[in-house]
Amino acid sequence: MKIKTAFFCQNCGYESAKWTGKCPSCGQWNTFVEEKVQKDIPLRNTNWQPEKENGRSDNIVNLSEVSGIEEDRLLTPDAELNRVLGGGIVPGSLVLVGGEPGIGKSTLFLQNALLLKDITTLYISGEESAQQIKMRADRLQVKNDLFYLLTETSTQTIFQEIKKLRPQLLIVDSIQTLQSPFIESAPGSVSQIRETTAELQRFAKESHTPVFLIGHITKDGSIAGPKILEHMVDTVLQFEGDQHYAYRILRTIKNRFGSTAELGIYEMTGSGLRQVTNPSEILISQREDQLSGVAIAATMEGMRPMLVEVQALVTQSVYGTPQRTVTGFDLRRLQLLLAVLEKRGGFHFGVKDVFLNIAGGIRVEDPSIDLAVLCALLSSYEDAAISSKICFAGEVGLSGEIRAVNRIEQRVAEAEKLGFEKIFISRYNKKGTDFSKFNIEVVPVGRVDEVYRGLF
């Protein structure tokens, strides 16, 4: 039989009968690769699926007869993972986890699988041998008699073993190594990733078994494989962190069962990943001296309040064009704040080099950090230190006004808990909120010049 081939875009998965320079779907150049496909396949036998006793089809059901699974979530011993997933593992869910090589993806899910003592777990490894995984499990120092290991890449063999074991949780490491006999292209190709994910999706939905897929990422940080892969799964998690820091962040990119604003924080240790229940302890440096250019921001990540340290350095520019360098913050947002200070405050940042850093290696996108960034810039500009007992929560508008932010009471409560004595907030946040119950001085401000006069 003649082997059929097609061209697939490696970025979005678009299929074309001939090679094209530019993908008509996503607009990327030189992304088409020829792959073997096999379409003349008889009806596939889903070996993992148990036979119906009466032969009746249960495909069509009345919506009122469908039982909800919201209360049936599987809670893991890892509170950070539960938070990111929206309250635990949902039966029948398909979760994709991406991250850089060596960041700790395999360690995280091996550790969680071993901690689930009463759950039969099957860990499928297509990259590492059983001996390598055993060595990692020994370092974690966790024993589990219901944890099973399978080193295999063929989906047909995997489903035959699944039918024998009937696991309650399935972990695949990694999806790029699996191959389906129904597709003739190499493992990791668009066709194979799409087909193997589809087979695992059918298994998850029809058997109500949660499946975790560990995936690779590309140079630009996106998950490798076609974009359709992220549409097929229920939840997409990103495991990120700086190799120079011991801290890792598990962030939600997509979640059909909960919020996409949550994140979990871990510390990498020699015996596995430790949950960081109080992230402010790692995001604020413990210093004794009062230094200029440092301000503390009260931010929110999902439902969790956090205090992060903003560090700024403003120096005289020695080049024709002043430098703007940021770490953990949006560069365009910094330029906006500098323009506000220049126009509304009269500060000449146009001849200054500006460097900004969010301590701890975390990236913050909450607009309430604006006020702390602005105060750190002013502190470095004036070379006057801000007290370490003061924190800030407010968004800065283009006209120099301090705008209100959400969940202000949680931010104030977190600042009070960590021993801060004063917090600057927008005066528009005072409406309908009683701050007298807090043992912390709340300073409402309306404009940038009010903040400057209040601090310096």
Side-chain angles (χ1 to χ4, degrees):
M1 184 177 65
K2 184 180 178 181
I3 297 175
K4 296 181 180 180
T5 62
F7 291 87
F8 291 92
C9 172
Q10 299 296 297
N11 184 57
C12 68
Y14 181 83
E15 181 178 350
S16 173
K18 60 180 181 179
W19 186 87
T20 308
K22 181 180 180 182
C23 175
S25 176
C26 64
Q28 296 293 314
W29 287 89
N30 298 323
T31 56
F32 277 92
V33 174
E34 186 177 17
E35 297 179 7
K36 297 177 183 178
V37 295
Q38 182 62 283
K39 295 190 176 180
D40 300 328
I41 297 293
L43 186 63
R44 300 173 186 180
N45 178 24
T46 52
N47 292 326
W48 46 267
Q49 189 175 12
E51 291 79 9
K52 303 288 183 185
E53 293 182 0
N54 54 8
R56 181 175 61 86
S57 173
D58 292 331
N59 293 336
I60 300 176
V61 294
N62 190 293
L63 181 61
S64 60
E65 297 175 1
V66 178
S67 60
I69 59 173
E70 189 66 31
E71 301 302 322
D72 298 333
R73 288 181 184 252
L74 173 63
L75 290 176
T76 71
D78 189 339
E80 300 294 303
L81 180 62
N82 291 337
R83 175 187 290 108
V84 169
L85 291 174
I89 302 172
V90 177
S93 62
L94 193 64
V95 181
L96 176 64
V97 186
E100 293 181 0
I103 205 72
K105 304 183 297 294
S106 301
T107 302
L108 174 65
F109 285 95
L110 178 63
Q111 177 177 311
N112 275 289
L114 290 170
L115 288 170
L116 288 166
K117 303 287 188 182
D118 302 326
I119 301 295
T120 303
T121 304
L122 178 59
Y123 189 100
I124 299 168
S125 175
E127 297 180 337
E128 297 177 296
S129 67
Q131 288 74 22
Q132 288 175 298
I133 297 172
K134 173 65 175 173
M135 288 169 59
R136 182 182 292 124
D138 289 342
R139 288 199 301 271
L140 297 174
Q141 300 175 352
V142 183
K143 302 291 184 183
N144 188 344
D145 294 331
L146 293 177
F147 181 86
Y148 296 90
L149 191 59
L150 175 63
T151 53
E152 181 58 60
T153 58
S154 171
T155 55
Q156 284 296 94
T157 307
I158 288 170
F159 285 134
Q160 288 171 7
E161 297 299 326
I162 286 174
K163 185 178 179 181
K164 297 175 188 175
L165 182 64
R166 294 292 170 84
Q168 296 167 277
L169 176 66
L170 186 66
I171 300 173
V172 179
D173 184 11
S174 66
I175 186 63
Q176 276 83 9
T177 61
L178 297 193
Q179 60 179 1
S180 170
F182 303 110
I183 301 291
E184 293 194 12
S185 56
S189 62
V190 170
S191 304
Q192 284 287 7
I193 292 174
R194 186 164 51 190
E195 177 63 25
T196 52
T197 304
E199 291 180 14
L200 288 165
Q201 182 188 44
R202 287 195 295 270
F203 162 71
K205 301 303 177 188
E206 295 178 23
S207 66
H208 297 289
T209 304
V211 178
F212 284 89
L213 308 177
I214 297 175
H216 301 163
I217 64 168
T218 58
K219 288 186 294 184
D220 62 356
S222 59
I223 294 175
K227 199 67 179 175
I228 194 174
L229 177 63
E230 296 181 38
H231 293 289
M232 294 171 71
V233 300
D234 298 310
T235 304
V236 180
L237 305 180
Q238 187 87 5
F239 201 44
E240 57 192 44
D242 195 317
Q243 296 283 5
H244 303 291
Y245 290 93
Y247 306 109
R248 305 285 186 265
I249 295 171
L250 186 63
R251 195 184 297 273
T252 316
I253 307 298
K254 167 191 174 181
N255 193 357
R256 289 175 179 161
F257 309 114
S259 170
T260 56
E262 298 291 353
L263 61 78
I265 301 180
Y266 298 88
E267 180 184 9
M268 179 65 82
T269 66
S271 58
L273 289 153
R274 180 184 73 87
Q275 304 171 45
V276 179
T277 54
N278 182 16
S280 301
E281 71 185 33
I282 65 168
L283 301 175
I284 299 178
S285 59
Q286 305 300 321
R287 65 185 191 280
E288 297 179 359
D289 300 331
Q290 297 287 340
L291 303 173
S292 65
V294 177
I296 308 298
T299 71
M300 295 288 296
E301 284 288 350
M303 301 295 290
R304 166 190 278 189
M306 292 194 304
L307 270 75
V308 299
E309 182 177 301
V310 181
Q311 301 172 342
L313 178 63
V314 179
T315 61
Q316 191 68 33
S317 177
V318 295
Y319 302 102
T321 304
Q323 297 183 70
R324 305 283 185 260
T325 306
V326 296
T327 304
F329 190 70
D330 185 11
L331 176 60
R332 288 171 295 184
R333 191 73 186 170
L334 172 64
Q335 292 169 336
L336 183 150
L337 294 173
L338 291 174
V340 169
L341 286 171
E342 186 100 23
K343 177 75 173 178
R344 308 298 177 189
F347 299 96
H348 300 294
F349 281 94
V351 294
K352 304 283 187 180
D353 288 338
V354 177
F355 306 92
L356 190 75
N357 176 48
I358 307 298
I362 189 174
R363 179 170 182 82
V364 181
E365 297 178 355
D366 184 2
S368 68
I369 199 176
D370 286 356
L371 187 55
V373 170
L374 187 140
C375 292
L377 291 169
L378 290 174
S379 172
S380 182
Y381 184 92
E382 298 288 354
D383 199 19
I386 298 173
S387 170
S388 59
K389 296 297 183 182
I390 299 177
C391 62
F392 306 88
E395 182 182 353
V396 178
L398 291 179
S399 60
E401 81 278 13
I402 310 301
R403 306 180 65 184
V405 296
N406 63 351
R407 305 187 188 280
I408 190 65
E409 291 191 42
Q410 288 177 258
R411 300 172 195 262
V412 174
E414 180 73 5
E416 180 189 5
K417 186 177 75 174
L418 292 174
F420 284 84
E421 297 172 357
K422 187 185 293 186
I423 180 169
F424 282 76
I425 67 168
S426 168
R427 70 179 178 208
Y428 305 107
N429 266 126
K430 291 208 71 176
K431 296 178 181 177
T433 307
D434 181 21
F435 293 106
S436 60
K437 59 186 176 182
F438 297 108
N439 295 319
I440 181 174
E441 183 184 352
V442 178
V443 183
V445 288
R447 295 185 56 79
V448 170
D449 51 317
E450 290 180 45
V451 181
Y452 181 78
R453 289 194 299 269
L455 288 174
F456 311 105

